């Protein structure tokens, strides 16, 4: 027979309903910690970011204690759907100005209305990736239009990485994600020279890694900075390059939904995952960046070298955190408008 709630928590914090991306559940990184706290993870997988609002929005949300959002969804989740409940920082001793890099401490994507809303658990940068054995290392996106790159370039299906770069390259970077429909048409028209230089529009990062390893491409237009580690494991050197125009930083932050029930376990889980060792292990396992300064000396050389932690301010200045286009607007191109334009753009491949 099931135990009564009071009895269940007498020996631990009980079941934590976690909705998370595969590989970002922290069940390995926090194995001993979870056992010590008596937290039992009940994990549901996120297949796309839309899974989160589908589960949590509306009059009868699913009970979820912890889940995550990409920074581009902050406005949608926090102000439109109101599915995020503010965090009590007193219950997160590992989160402080002394321990967290300033780029992730009380910044607008995770902190608004004077309250902490989400805590970043991993981040990275989407930028050019190249194979120096096949093509020269490009210094800018303009370089990719040179003859030596023709037929060597791949795009990958990643709107939050590609779209802000598209806008930046065509003169609308300062306006993104709020551009008019006419400006949206100009953006995709302006990207055609890069498309015409390219070989393929890949469906996934896994496909891109295979294309690099098989020698079918020399450059990825914009993609995950962890690709060089993956291709290197298969004997092919690639490098990620932040070009003169910058890249697109991604971040995923854990938050406690309004429908959460086990708050004690939720706070313990979030605080545990930003502890130095957990952050170091997570960065290694996911090839992502850490938010905790004290995690750096605990990292292996390869993981620590993924990003220049001494110059994060410069990296973020060159590669600002992108948001998503509005879901509905009479003035600006909507998310659906961007999707359609992107679909039409791929026809040329």
């Amino acid at each position: 027979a099931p135990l009564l709630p009071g009895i269940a928590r007498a020996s631990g914090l009980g079941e934590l309903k976690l909705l998370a991306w595969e590989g970002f559940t922290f069940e390995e990184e926090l194995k001993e910690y979870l056992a010590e706290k008596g937290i039992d993870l009940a994990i549901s997988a996120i297949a796309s970011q839309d899974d989160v609002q589908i589960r949590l929005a509306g009059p009868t949300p699913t009970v979820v204690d912890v889940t995550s959002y990409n920074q581009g969804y902050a406005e949608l989740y926090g102000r439109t759907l109101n599915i995020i409940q503010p965090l009590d920082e007193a219950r997160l001793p590992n989160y402080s100005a002394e321990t967290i890099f300033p780029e992730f401490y009380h910044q607008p994507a995770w902190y608004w209305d004077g309250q902490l809303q989400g805590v970043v658990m991993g981040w990275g940068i989407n930028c050019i990736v190249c194979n120096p054995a096949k093509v020269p290392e490009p210094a800018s996106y303009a370089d990719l239009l040179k003859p030596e790159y023709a037929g060597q370039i791949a795009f990958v299906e990643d709107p939050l990485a590609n779209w802000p770069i598209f806008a930046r390259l065509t003169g609308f970077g300062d306006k993104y994600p709020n551009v008019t429909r006419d400006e949206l048409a100009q953006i995709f028209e302006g990207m055609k020279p890069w498309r015409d230089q390219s070989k393929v529009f890949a469906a996934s990062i896994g496909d891109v890694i295979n294309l690099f390893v098989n020698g079918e491409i020399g450059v990825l237009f914009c993609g995950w900075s962890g690709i060089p580690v993956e291709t290197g494991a298969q004997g092919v050197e690639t490098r990620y390059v932040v070009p003169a125009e910058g890249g697109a930083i991604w971040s995923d932050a854990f938050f406690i939904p309004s429908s959460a029930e086990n708050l004690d376990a939720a706070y313990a889980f979030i605080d545990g995952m930003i502890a130095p060792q957990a952050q170091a292990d997570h960065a290694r396992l996911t090839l992502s960046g850490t938010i905790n300064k004290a995690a750096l000396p605990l990292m292996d050389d390869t993981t620590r070298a993924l990003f220049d932690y001494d110059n994060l301010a410069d990296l973020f200045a060159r590669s600002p955190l992108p948001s998503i286009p509005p879901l509905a607007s009479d003035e600006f191109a909507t998310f659906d408008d961007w999707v359609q334009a992107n679909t039409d753009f791929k026809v040329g491949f």
Side-chain angles (χ1 to χ4, degrees):
L3 296 173
L4 295 175
I7 297 175
R9 300 217 179 156
S11 59
L13 296 179
E15 183 179 78
L16 175 76
K17 292 182 172 64
L18 176 65
L19 178 61
W21 294 97
E22 184 178 353
F24 288 78
T25 62
F26 280 83
E27 54 188 326
E28 179 64 29
E29 300 92 316
L30 294 178
K31 187 175 182 179
E32 293 182 6
Y33 175 84
L34 294 171
E36 176 188 331
K37 294 290 185 180
I39 297 174
D40 298 316
L41 293 183
I43 300 171
S44 298
I46 297 175
S48 73
Q49 186 65 65
D50 290 345
D51 290 346
V52 174
Q53 63 259 32
I54 289 171
R55 296 277 294 271
L56 298 179
T60 56
T62 303
V63 174
V64 174
D65 297 312
V66 174
T67 187
S68 67
Y69 68 90
N70 175 279
Q71 83 283 335
Y73 287 71
E75 183 76 15
L76 174 64
Y77 285 13
R79 301 191 185 279
T80 303
L81 299 179
N82 293 313
I83 58 177
I84 297 176
Q85 63 170 288
L87 296 171
D88 180 358
E89 291 189 50
R91 303 184 70 175
L92 299 170
N94 282 318
Y95 184 88
S96 70
E98 292 71 36
T99 57
I100 304 301
F101 284 108
E103 288 73 23
F104 302 100
Y105 184 77
H106 285 191
Q107 294 299 325
W110 316 287
Y111 186 91
W112 58 83
D113 296 337
Q115 294 178 295
L116 182 65
Q117 311 285 340
V119 178
V120 175
M121 42 89 163
W123 65 277
I125 184 167
N126 292 297
C127 53
I128 293 174
V129 181
C130 72
N131 179 346
K134 290 184 67 69
V135 296
E137 184 174 307
S140 72
Y141 277 107
D143 285 348
L144 298 184
L145 298 178
K146 294 178 179 179
E148 56 264 40
Y149 295 94
Q152 292 288 335
I153 304 170
F155 284 72
V156 68
E157 189 67 81
D158 190 348
L160 286 182
N162 290 333
W163 293 350
I165 301 299
F166 288 5
R168 207 175 300 164
L169 293 180
T170 53
F172 297 97
D174 291 341
K175 291 186 174 183
Y176 181 86
N178 295 317
V179 301
T180 67
R181 289 171 176 83
D182 285 343
E183 290 168 340
L184 175 64
Q186 293 177 57
I187 288 170
F188 278 89
E189 181 66 27
M191 286 305 302
K192 286 183 179 179
W194 283 274
R195 183 190 68 183
D196 295 343
Q197 282 277 88
S198 302
K199 181 175 184 176
V200 63
F201 203 114
S204 70
I205 290 295
D207 290 339
V208 168
I209 291 170
N210 289 334
L211 290 168
F212 271 126
V213 171
N214 294 334
E216 297 179 53
I217 61 170
V219 181
L220 174 61
F221 177 85
C222 186
W224 179 42
S225 52
I227 288 175
V229 177
E230 297 290 343
T231 62
Q234 300 183 58
V236 175
E237 179 192 3
T238 58
R239 301 173 186 168
Y240 88 80
V241 179
V242 182
E245 301 87 350
I249 288 179
W250 63 267
S251 70
D252 283 297
F254 278 132
F255 71 96
I256 299 178
S258 303
S259 64
E261 292 183 344
N262 193 346
L263 294 181
D264 290 341
Y267 275 102
F269 176 81
I270 292 175
D271 192 55
M273 72 89 187
I274 55 173
Q277 189 63 60
Q279 279 285 293
D281 291 342
H282 182 68
R284 173 178 54 82
L285 291 171
T286 62
L287 302 177
S288 60
T290 181
I291 71 167
N292 194 317
K293 302 171 188 176
L296 294 183
L298 303 176
M299 290 180 177
D300 60 79
D301 292 342
T302 299
T303 305
R304 189 168 51 250
L306 282 173
F307 307 103
D308 184 0
Y309 288 97
D310 291 331
N311 295 289
L312 286 186
D314 178 64
L315 177 62
F316 274 68
R318 295 171 59 201
S319 307
L321 289 162
S323 186
I324 61 172
L327 297 186
S329 175
D330 293 329
E331 182 180 2
F332 301 118
T334 65
F335 186 86
D336 287 342
D337 292 330
W338 279 84
V339 170
Q340 184 58 56
N342 193 67
T343 300
D344 295 341
F345 181 71
K346 291 189 292 183
V347 172
F349 281 85

